Amino acid sequence: MIFFCFFSFLKKDKLKLQKNKKTLLNNLLNKIVKESNTYLGTPYLWGGTTKNGIDCSAFVKNVYLSIGIKLPRVSQNQAKVGKTITLDKIRKGDLIFFETDKNRPNTVSHVGIYLGSGNLIHASSKNKKVVIVPLNQGYFLSKIVIIKRIVDVI
């Protein structure tokens, strides 16, 4: 009987730990979304790294740095970090990498952060600022190269 009670205690402890991990993960993902939203309207500047002017990869790098994660500076190198995810498994905080240079097919040249609910936030050279757009726009869906998950529960 003591043996059973001990395993019952361990099982409850494990469930509590899993719940705590999921809570921690959700808090981190919410911080990513909240921080990324502070950049809305920030002017786009190729090579820029601040809220005075920023490009897509610096935007992503800065947002992740706000939760203590250091990412490489350029999108091609950022795409080498994390776990590859399929579009049907995407969740808030995942990074979506795109091919936007027709002269370099299947080469990462842009990155944004998935916010959930079908929305993407990114530093847009076209809109000349950080914006939120629906991911299901034909342009973005057709340009995805890879999706990466940086933050996850172990």
Side-chain angles (χ1 to χ4, degrees):
M1 189 63 136
I2 294 172
F3 187 68
F4 174 75
C5 290
F6 178 71
F7 279 113
S8 177
F9 175 75
L10 285 180
K11 186 175 179 182
K12 286 179 186 176
D13 225 28
K14 185 176 180 180
L15 289 173
K16 185 177 179 182
L17 181 60
Q18 287 174 337
K19 183 180 177 187
N20 288 343
K21 283 183 179 182
K22 286 182 181 182
T23 299
L24 176 61
L25 174 64
N26 199 45
N27 288 342
L28 285 173
L29 297 177
N30 286 337
K31 285 180 182 181
I32 290 168
V33 170
K34 185 176 179 180
E35 179 65 17
S36 67
N37 279 302
T38 69
Y39 283 83
L40 277 174
T42 297
Y44 176 85
L45 176 64
W46 188 82
T49 60
T50 70
K51 288 189 177 179
N52 293 323
I54 199 158
D55 66 19
C56 65
S57 56
F59 164 65
V60 166
K61 184 181 189 312
N62 290 357
V63 169
Y64 269 82
L65 191 57
S66 76
I67 63 163
I69 295 175
K70 293 181 181 180
L71 292 176
R73 171 62 181 92
V74 296
S75 59
Q76 283 182 340
N77 292 334
Q78 290 173 350
K80 297 173 184 173
V81 178
K83 177 182 175 185
T84 301
I85 299 297
T86 57
L87 189 56
D88 63 320
K89 301 286 188 208
I90 197 167
R91 69 163 186 233
K92 65 184 170 183
D94 288 342
L95 302 182
I96 308 175
F97 296 90
F98 302 92
E99 165 215 322
T100 57
D101 183 346
K102 60 185 172 191
N103 296 320
R104 297 183 298 152
N106 297 315
T107 301
V108 169
S109 55
H110 188 63
V111 61
I113 301 171
Y114 186 69
L115 296 175
S117 303
N119 292 313
L120 170 76
I121 187 168
H122 68 118
S124 170
S125 59
K126 179 182 177 184
N127 293 304
K128 298 182 177 21
K129 61 185 175 182
V130 175
V131 296
I132 295 174
V133 296
L135 181 58
N136 64 4
Q137 283 182 341
Y139 177 80
F140 285 105
L141 282 180
S142 67
K143 300 295 183 182
I144 294 174
V145 175
I146 195 167
I147 302 168
K148 290 295 190 129
R149 179 158 296 156
I150 308 299
V151 178
D152 210 352
V153 174
I154 299 174

